[in-house]
Amino acid sequence: MLKVEDIHVYYGAIHAIKGISLEVPQGKIVTLIGANGAGKTTTLNTICGLTKPKSGKIFFEGKDITGVDTQNIVRLGLTQVPEGRRIFANMPVYENLELGAFLNKDKKQVAQDMERVYARFPRLLERKHQLAGSLSGGEQQMLAMGRALMSRPKLLLLDEPSMGLSPILVKEIFSIIKELNEQGTTILLVEQNAKMALSIADKGYVVETGRIVMAGDAQELLESPEVKKAYLGG
């Protein structure tokens, strides 16, 4: 579904991404793991058009989307849930969700999608008129994911969904990610919690200083001595 070929990204003179290539097959969960500053978020931002690569190609469903602007990438069915959630704190929950559907002019469809999001995240329904900034961290993450689902994504890019959450909420968010995948959404997941990410993923890539240093079946990476030593505290 997604193919990234040898992308190079620079921030001024800094060579942030040094020839990353990866593939996300349809219907799978693929995860990028690695330390802070390894280039995981930059990779996601480049895929969804927020950052332009200096060279390399990005294909989504066989179509070259390199350099296409973000709005048109969302139209194609590729949506990102950004790191830090980026919700609109001074707007109520339901307005945040409506913004996720800004490209959809079919009001009936938007209303149906809203019902689906509320069914998946009952807490958002309970708090639909509350200001988004008054929600807990876990609820804000659910809101960010719900808002992304309003755009009817075929591929969901999730950037550090567990960041700042309690262990119990981390489990909840990961089980939601797995459910979304089981219902047909393909997922590219960036996570510092390597153990959780690899436990639900089909395939994993290890990113270090802008390069992919290991790739393979998620279960194999979970059991790899190098990955255990570097990322799993063993």
Side-chain angles (χ1 to χ4, degrees):
M1 183 178 255
L2 178 75
K3 192 171 188 182
V4 175
E5 289 182 354
D6 194 28
I7 56 167
H8 289 258
V9 177
Y10 287 79
Y11 291 127
I14 297 162
H15 195 176
I17 300 294
K18 304 162 185 165
I20 279 183
S21 297
L22 60 90
E23 288 185 4
V24 181
Q26 184 161 0
K28 302 290 184 190
I29 298 177
V30 175
T31 186
L32 298 182
I33 62 168
N36 237 340
K40 305 183 303 296
T41 294
T42 301
T43 301
L44 287 197
N45 287 345
T46 308
I47 290 166
C48 66
L50 292 167
T51 304
K52 304 293 181 218
K54 186 146 192 184
S55 62
K57 292 278 183 199
I58 300 162
F59 297 93
F60 180 60
E61 295 190 316
K63 181 179 178 172
D64 187 348
I65 60 164
T66 320
V68 171
D69 68 80
T70 303
Q71 185 166 313
N72 287 318
I73 286 174
V74 173
R75 269 200 182 93
L76 293 171
L78 199 157
T79 305
Q80 182 176 4
V81 178
E83 182 184 359
R85 322 205 232 280
R86 308 273 176 91
I87 54 153
F88 297 96
N90 297 323
M91 290 167 69
V93 165
Y94 76 91
E95 284 185 7
N96 269 269
L97 291 175
E98 283 170 355
L99 281 171
F102 78 102
L103 291 173
N104 191 347
K105 302 296 174 243
D106 184 332
K107 285 195 165 72
K108 194 177 171 189
Q109 214 174 57
V110 172
Q112 286 170 346
D113 291 346
M114 189 87 90
E115 290 309 313
R116 263 191 219 106
V117 169
Y118 286 144
R120 169 159 301 289
F121 302 107
R123 261 178 279 179
L124 298 184
L125 178 59
E126 289 164 22
R127 292 158 174 66
K128 70 190 267 190
H129 296 292
Q130 252 177 257
L131 292 183
S134 69
L135 301 180
S136 71
E139 289 161 354
Q140 288 186 16
Q141 184 60 50
M142 289 173 196
L143 178 57
M145 288 166 74
R147 183 179 60 189
L149 292 175
M150 290 294 291
S151 69
R152 301 189 155 209
K154 298 173 187 172
L155 172 61
L156 196 55
L157 308 182
L158 292 168
D159 196 356
E160 302 284 6
S162 78
M163 188 186 270
L165 301 184
S166 68
I168 246 170
L169 274 172
V170 170
K171 269 191 169 159
E172 190 174 345
I173 290 295
F174 273 90
S175 85
I176 289 165
I177 293 167
K178 198 147 177 52
E179 270 173 45
L180 288 174
N181 176 249
E182 282 162 2
Q183 287 165 7
T185 308
T186 305
I187 289 168
L188 177 57
L189 169 68
V190 155
E191 239 321 321
Q192 271 194 293
N193 187 334
K195 194 170 190 174
M196 281 299 276
L198 290 169
S199 72
I200 66 162
D202 299 287
K203 187 176 182 182
Y205 292 91
V206 181
V207 186
E208 272 177 24
T209 57
R211 289 188 176 88
I212 283 168
V213 292
M214 280 179 86
D217 176 81
Q219 201 52 46
E220 285 170 14
L221 289 176
L222 204 48
E223 287 158 17
S224 144
E226 297 100 306
V227 172
K228 274 184 179 168
K229 190 166 183 245
Y231 303 106
L232 307 177

